[in-house]
Amino acid sequence: MFRRPFLLAAALVVLATAGPAVSQTPLPPQGADPLDARDARRVERMERVVRELRSIVFQLRDSGKPVVVQPADTDARMAEMGERLADMEQTLRGLNSTLDSLTRDLDQARRENITLKGQVDRLNERLASAEQQAPDAPNITGGLGGGLGGGLPSGAGGAAPASDPAADFAQARQLMLAGDYDAAEAAFAAYVQNHPDAQRTPEANYWLGKTLGVRGAYNDAARAYIGAIRGWPQTTWAPDAVVELSRTLIALKKPADACQTLAEFSRRYPKAPAPVASRAAAARTQAKCAA
């Protein structure tokens, strides 16, 4: 598209109103000079141009505004617009692909959240069933956990503040079930510190080990698990605590200690649940324990 200057349009008014620029030239007869035929076609093109210019002039005269004339490269402009449209379509396809990927990721996250909720519910059930079954356990056999500094420190740093052990444990467990592992870790550590002789202190050590393992604090986690299984308690969570201790020892590159722990697991908990026994077998393979 282009604009004709006003002075040019005014000049064309003079040309247009002066009469036809050229008269129609007939085609040459057969056998005439080819140059005459080319001239005739040239004249025809000139006449078309003059007619266009007249139209421009008349538009200018009627509207008093710059006249917009369609350029001769319409096809090229249309091709350019087509290319731009193709680029936009390609970009849109890319955006749609990204949106589909994000949707799949969101669906996967939702499924994982549902699975995690089921695991939390099962843990809650195990806690409830173990609530009345956790005897105090003063010692742990053998040299289990050697080099780990001997068990988790408890209330040696001072007198425990006056608080309700049951309420403290319930609060720590609620944080665990809510998925707030940092707060749960602090709550279970405080429980072990403030209630070293409570009936549920071994179980609190077990859950403390879980929270420590989540953030890779394997040394502290191992000490917590050792505090949980002193005396090899016969509770629903104890077999899992032993397996988790062995896995932590493997992470600390102590395969010999891990194999010793797994040997005690087989001897102390021959009727452990199948999922726990399966994880114990996987830990034996990982630690390369003797058959």
Side-chain angles (χ1 to χ4, degrees):
M1 304 287 285
F2 62 89
R3 300 183 179 277
R4 302 288 187 178
F6 180 84
L7 292 178
L8 175 59
L12 293 174
V13 171
V14 176
L15 292 175
T17 55
V22 290
S23 60
Q24 189 110 10
T25 305
L27 294 174
Q30 186 175 6
D33 189 346
L35 293 176
D36 294 338
R38 287 196 294 272
D39 290 341
R41 289 193 293 272
R42 188 178 300 111
V43 168
E44 290 178 1
R45 289 196 296 271
M46 292 175 64
E47 287 179 346
R48 286 197 297 271
V49 171
V50 169
R51 286 195 294 273
E52 291 178 1
L53 292 175
R54 282 180 176 176
S55 175
I56 294 170
V57 170
F58 291 150
Q59 292 179 30
L60 181 62
R61 183 191 62 189
D62 294 340
S63 65
K65 299 178 180 179
V67 180
V68 178
V69 181
Q70 183 72 24
D73 61 344
T74 304
D75 292 340
R77 296 295 181 91
M78 292 293 292
E80 182 181 356
M81 291 179 64
E83 291 176 359
R84 291 181 180 179
L85 181 60
D87 291 341
M88 292 177 64
E89 290 176 347
Q90 184 176 359
T91 301
L92 181 60
R93 284 195 295 270
L95 291 174
N96 287 338
S97 177
T98 301
L99 180 61
D100 291 341
S101 178
L102 291 174
T103 301
R104 288 193 297 270
D105 291 344
L106 179 59
D107 291 341
Q108 179 66 23
R110 286 173 177 169
R111 288 193 292 269
E112 290 176 353
N113 284 339
I114 292 173
T115 301
L116 180 59
K117 184 179 182 302
Q119 293 174 349
V120 169
D121 290 342
R122 288 192 294 273
L123 289 175
N124 190 24
E125 292 174 1
R126 292 174 62 185
L127 282 171
S129 63
E131 194 166 304
Q132 303 299 326
Q133 302 179 26
D136 290 328
N139 295 302
I140 188 170
T141 40
L144 189 60
L148 295 174
L152 196 70
S154 54
S163 61
D164 181 8
D168 290 350
F169 189 94
Q171 181 183 12
R173 186 178 68 174
Q174 185 60 39
L175 291 169
M176 181 80 172
L177 295 177
D180 191 349
Y181 296 107
D182 291 339
E185 176 186 332
F188 281 121
Y191 185 96
V192 172
Q193 177 77 20
N194 297 333
H195 311 291
D197 300 321
Q199 184 179 8
R200 303 195 69 173
T201 298
E203 185 180 359
N205 268 313
Y206 166 64
W207 291 112
L208 177 59
K210 288 278 192 180
T211 60
L212 291 165
V214 167
R215 64 180 179 87
Y218 297 119
N219 260 312
D220 293 337
R223 283 194 287 268
Y225 287 130
I226 290 172
I229 62 174
R230 282 195 179 95
W232 307 103
Q234 297 298 313
T235 64
T236 56
W237 51 262
D240 185 68
V242 176
V243 175
E244 286 300 317
L245 173 59
S246 70
R247 287 157 56 92
T248 302
L249 292 170
I250 292 171
L252 290 171
K253 302 187 183 306
K254 296 178 179 292
D257 288 341
C259 291
Q260 181 184 353
T261 302
L262 291 167
E264 287 294 332
F265 167 83
S266 299
R267 189 167 68 88
R268 303 279 182 173
Y269 306 106
K271 297 181 180 180
V276 179
S278 177
R279 288 194 297 112
R284 286 191 192 92
T285 301
Q286 187 177 1
K288 298 180 180 179
C289 300

